[in-house]
Amino acid sequence: MPQGGSFLLYEGKSGDEFWTKAETLLYTALIGYIHYEAPAEEQCFSTLIEMINSMEVREDDEEFQNPQASTYNYYMYQYSAKDEYNMVQEIQNFVSNLKRPAIYVDVFAVDLFELLCKYLDEQSCSIHPSYLKFLLEKDDKDPDNVTKILGSKATSDKFLQYLDQHIANHLEKPEDGLKRPYVFIYGMGKIFPYLRTSHFLSKFEKFNRPNDYKIIVFYPGVARGNSFTLLGCIEDSHTYRAELLN
């Protein structure tokens, strides 16, 4: 198999009908995947090129793993929105129990909405040392504009970089014998509508490091076919690039 690029390059057999058909089938499958699964902003030719270029395999190395093969390492655990308080308690207990002897797993668990508040509180504006407090004071007079600003901040690359840095800091802790293979993300109900779960999964892909950790998103809703219902009442037909755990 070729290491990315066209199948027509396979051992120089440019006239081999088998490889011509194989290439056509591959492109058709990739285009179909992009059309039905990719977010609207990624439904373009450049996405197809990136997917083709990432298809490296090595016939002479059976242990080789393409680092791009598991780009989407998201997993989703669904639960009823009415169990939100209990679920948060269970997450915290689970994280604590994983650190016990014989397991030695240190999970980075983060409430995405609380992290957004922390991010905004550490920012300043021209008239206030805390952007979060500035927005809280402004909310009474201009709630629509505050909602718009919060949505812009929550979906920004800077906030996602802020999350990525927190994950990196967790992974880079001094050697202590603990494994750190998981990141738990919760608070998806609280951060809505500023950041949709589907939008988060899509936008965070550029920071995602599947070889270093797996992300488990705790989702207060249920799957219904190809769509999800957040909080039991908000329909979301966007694509979710995550594997369901339950």
Side-chain angles (χ1 to χ4, degrees):
M1 298 289 286
Q3 295 186 6
S6 172
F7 275 104
L8 298 180
L9 299 178
Y10 185 78
E11 296 183 354
K13 299 178 181 179
S14 58
D16 194 314
E17 184 178 356
F18 172 82
W19 295 112
T20 301
K21 291 181 178 179
E23 181 181 35
T24 301
L25 289 173
L26 173 66
Y27 291 168
T28 301
L30 292 178
I31 291 171
Y33 175 83
I34 293 170
H35 176 71
Y36 289 106
E37 299 293 337
E41 64 270 18
E42 294 181 16
Q43 294 182 12
C44 56
F45 189 70
S46 61
T47 300
L48 175 63
I49 297 300
E50 289 177 7
M51 294 178 72
I52 293 172
N53 288 337
S54 70
M55 290 181 168
E56 179 181 0
V57 295
R58 298 177 185 176
E59 290 185 337
D60 58 346
D61 185 358
E62 295 182 357
E63 297 183 356
F64 173 74
Q65 292 186 356
N66 187 338
Q68 299 298 324
S70 301
T71 302
Y72 312 132
N73 68 326
Y74 300 119
Y75 299 83
M76 187 177 292
Y77 183 87
Q78 306 168 97
Y79 63 95
S80 174
K82 65 182 178 61
D83 297 327
E84 177 71 20
Y85 177 80
N86 291 334
M87 178 55 63
V88 172
Q89 297 300 311
E90 289 184 20
I91 292 173
Q92 294 172 350
N93 291 336
F94 188 43
V95 170
S96 178
N97 290 335
L98 285 174
K99 279 190 176 183
R100 291 181 175 180
I103 303 179
Y104 297 110
V105 171
D106 185 12
V107 175
F108 179 68
V110 58
D111 182 322
L112 207 56
F113 179 73
E114 294 297 332
L115 188 70
L116 175 63
C117 292
K118 184 174 183 289
Y119 167 73
L120 294 173
D121 194 41
E122 293 176 2
Q123 289 188 324
S124 61
C125 59
S126 58
I127 60 175
H128 207 295
S130 166
Y131 200 69
L132 176 64
K133 293 182 174 64
F134 166 73
L135 291 177
L136 289 174
E137 294 173 1
K138 189 177 181 180
D139 190 47
D140 289 337
K141 297 180 180 179
D142 195 359
D144 291 339
N145 190 39
V146 169
T147 298
K148 183 178 179 180
I149 293 173
L150 287 173
S152 176
K153 292 290 185 179
T155 57
S156 68
D157 279 352
K158 288 185 177 180
F159 172 59
L160 297 179
Q161 288 171 353
Y162 185 77
L163 169 61
D164 180 58
Q165 187 58 57
H166 276 69
I167 295 175
N169 292 342
H170 175 79
L171 296 176
E172 295 168 2
K173 286 182 178 179
E175 188 65 35
D176 53 12
L178 295 176
K179 295 174 289 186
R180 296 181 172 86
Y182 302 112
V183 173
F184 288 179
I185 304 289
Y186 60 102
M188 306 312 300
K190 291 194 293 183
I191 204 169
F192 180 88
Y194 315 121
L195 178 61
R196 286 181 174 270
T197 305
S198 55
H199 202 177
F200 166 71
L201 295 177
S202 174
K203 294 207 66 173
F204 197 71
E205 284 176 10
K206 67 180 70 176
F207 305 102
N208 190 9
R209 289 177 296 225
N211 290 335
D212 295 334
Y213 58 82
K214 300 296 182 184
I215 294 179
I216 299 178
V217 177
F218 291 83
Y219 183 84
V222 294
R224 293 178 179 173
N226 294 325
S227 64
F228 284 73
T229 303
L230 179 68
L231 305 177
C233 60
I234 303 173
E235 295 292 338
D236 186 356
S237 59
H238 291 73
T239 299
Y240 281 66
R241 298 184 177 186
E243 182 175 338
L244 294 178
L245 295 177
N246 62 334

